[in-house]
Amino acid sequence: MVELVIENDVARVLERAAEEKVSGGWDALVLVAPAGATTSLPAVDQGLTRARAADASFDGAGGAHLVVTEGVPGTRLVFASVGDLTKEYDDVRRYRDAAAAAVRRARDAGAQRPLLVVAPMADRPDLAQAVAVSALGAMGGLWEPYEARVPGDGRPLDPPVEPVEKLGLASLAGPVSSELAAWVRAVERGRRLARDLGGTEPERMAPPAFARRCRDAFADTGIDVDVVDDLDVIVRDYPVLSAVARASFPVARHHPRIVRLRYRPAGEVRRTLFFAGKGVTYDTGGADLKVGGHMAGMSRDKGGAAAIAGMMLAIAELKPEGVEVVAELGVVRNSIGAEAFVADEIITGHSGVRVRIGNTDAEGRLVMADLLSHLREEARTAPSPTLFTCATLTGHAALAMGPYSLTVENRPARQQGIGVRLADAGERWGDPFETSRLRREDWDFIRPRSRADDVINCNNAPSSATARGHQFPAAFLLIASGLAAHGHRDAEVLLPFVHIDIGGSACEGGDWQHGRPTAAPVVALVAALFE
């Protein structure tokens, strides 16, 4: 990961740049600012004035411009405009996107130590995190895939695919605090892990490899890591999950794993958060095979588990007080073969609920149901518990909400405003959410049709062709995990539950095959739950 360094004396950097090409260790100045902005830094403003006179599009949002300018580090001035920010739909993501484009342009120009200078707007409280969001955008923009950084054939990397060694961070509105920089570093380290786990191809990140990568990432972090790899134990304790993985059993390198992560704070525990993450390392659809080219990109179907792992790595560094965090990641491959599970099977889950399979391509909710049931048992006696699922679950999420994460809550969570808290944090930090609500139609949709079963996992149509296709899976999860008993008004123990669907937000541009993994919703989770 690129090293992030605070540089709070930009004027001094420019003074030295007049005397030496590489000033203070920096070899480019990257400016992210509103259209028409000036900086009170003479060398920078002179370069901007010349560029604006020569290029009428210079202040347009969406691009980055290289201006050769004496008096700035390396004579490289890269400017990315965030526009005038007057439109109703403008938000802090303008800074994120501009910073990502700008540092890539500096990198492509040969810079290895660019200094990112951000010009926030003091009169815009909705842009209060512009500096931090710009830093996250820049660092995320420099990420390259794990397969490119660590070639499987052992080839030496020459030139390196991530040549930028150090990134400076400065604000024209005042000093950047060391606390803010530490927060950005921690969150970006988590996002980097999430991108690596979620974006890597299906053989390099098959379930055993996914579990090994987690062990390596959490070594010496204080996070407890436990990996369940015994097939007999998985079949016994995670029966619905193991049905999804059943066709992978003949192939050792595809065997399922349960990855358990736990963060324990120093001192008293006042809150407990439980997370179940969907980690389907490849989804063929199973017996309900994905056809017509729809299987491409299904190595990204582990984005939920990847995001939770990334969140855990971030909090390992931030060490929030008073909150214990427990995660179970179900890492499986939904293969096709003679052992594949099929529609019409009835499988009794860990909760004791009998699940009738309606569609084997609705496997993610099956994976998480058993995880959630295990977490439910611990949550019953934990201090102030909240349970979450996180998954690249439905195409309907992308159809309904576009490139946004979404939440669906049970009644106790809705009363506590957890989904609203996530949405507010996402808006401030450029990792936005939409909110949905469970309705009676969602419960009715997955009702049992006979006395032989208690719930149906899905109909036999794609979620994108099903009314309320991203809402009803939350009702299924509540029933299949046993959590439904903890949400009604007369429940002895109320357990708030939030389902997070990142089917539309996990990959840039909604392109699951080639889009860069976004690591959503790591930023929003950390900002909303651990500040």
Side-chain angles (χ1 to χ4, degrees), residues 422-494:
L422 280 168
D424 288 347
E427 197 71 18
R428 294 195 311 272
W429 288 92
D431 190 11
F433 269 85
E434 302 284 4
T435 57
S436 286
R437 183 165 176 172
L438 272 173
R439 301 287 186 181
R440 62 185 184 183
E441 289 84 359
D442 303 317
W443 300 90
D444 184 64
F445 193 79
I446 43 88
R447 73 189 187 282
R449 304 319 198 258
S450 77
R451 294 186 179 182
D453 51 275
D454 301 309
V455 68
I456 298 174
N457 81 315
C458 195
N459 58 342
N460 57 4
S463 68
S464 55
T466 301
R468 302 187 64 79
H470 74 260
Q471 289 102 330
F472 82 81
F476 169 82
L477 284 165
L478 285 164
I479 295 172
S481 67
L483 270 177
H486 299 281
H488 61 76
R489 298 180 190 276
D490 298 326
E492 181 180 347
V493 178
L494 289 174

Side-chain angles (χ1 to χ4, degrees), residues 113-148:
R113 296 172 301 281
L115 170 60
L116 173 64
V117 180
V118 183
M121 298 180 73
D123 59 342
R124 291 285 298 272
D126 58 317
L127 305 176
Q129 303 301 339
V131 174
V133 170
S134 296
L136 288 168
M139 297 175 81
L142 294 170
W143 173 88
E144 294 296 339
Y146 179 75
E147 303 99 316

Side-chain angles (χ1 to χ4, degrees), residues 208-219:
F210 187 109
R212 286 194 298 272
R213 183 74 178 88
C214 286
R215 280 199 185 279
D216 292 344
F218 290 103

Side-chain angles (χ1 to χ4, degrees), residues 148 156-163:
L157 298 177
D158 186 21
V161 297
E162 292 183 332

